[in-house]
């Protein structure tokens, strides 16, 4: 996913109130959380420094070496989700 010849659309939205409850469809999304901008900024900076990590063994190794604090994984640049995050970090 995304599949060939398909269109992926990303959007930004704003909650009506701070820390509003998040309702998810557990068949579609495993987890959803609110994050402070500074936490997302640091996670993006860490991802840019060491690369995106998906393998749990690599995550554990980076944490053991003190190379990653383990707060949040974000996608690497070029991914739609990261583009939306970067836009929020730069413009909000």
């Amino acid at each position: 996913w995304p599949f060939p010849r398909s269109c992926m659309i990303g959007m930004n939205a704003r909650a009506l109130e701070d820390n509003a409850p998040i309702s998810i469809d557990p068949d579609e999304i495993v987890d959803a959380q609110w994050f402070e901008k500074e936490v997302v900024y640091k996670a993006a900076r860490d991802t840019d420094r060491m690369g995106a990590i998906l393998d749990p063994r690599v995550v554990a190794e980076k944490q053991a070496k003190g190379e990653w604090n383990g707060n949040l994984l974000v996608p690497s640049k070029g991914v739609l989700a990261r583009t939306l995050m970067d836009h929020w970090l730069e413009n909000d």
Side-chain angles (χ1 to χ4, degrees):
W1 183 57
F3 300 103
R5 294 182 301 271
S6 65
C7 178
M8 181 179 285
I9 299 172
M11 298 173 215
N12 287 318
R14 190 175 295 273
L16 294 175
E17 57 188 72
D18 288 347
N19 297 314
I22 302 173
S23 177
I24 64 169
D25 177 349
D27 292 331
E28 294 286 333
I29 298 175
V30 175
D31 184 32
Q33 300 176 44
W34 296 115
F35 293 94
E36 296 290 332
K37 186 177 261 191
E38 185 64 22
V39 172
V40 177
Y41 172 79
K42 288 179 181 177
R45 185 187 62 207
D46 288 347
T47 298
D48 294 344
R49 183 175 43 82
M50 67 183 183
I53 298 175
L54 299 176
D55 186 333
R57 294 169 297 187
V58 175
V59 169
E61 177 185 318
K62 295 285 187 183
Q63 287 177 312
K65 291 180 178 178
E67 296 175 357
W68 183 61
N69 63 16
N71 287 338
L72 178 65
L73 289 171
V74 301
S76 58
K77 287 187 179 286
V79 174
L80 177 58
R82 176 61 186 272
T83 302
L84 292 171
M85 287 179 185
D86 287 344
H87 182 268
W88 173 64
L89 290 170
E90 295 167 4
N91 297 300
D92 200 35

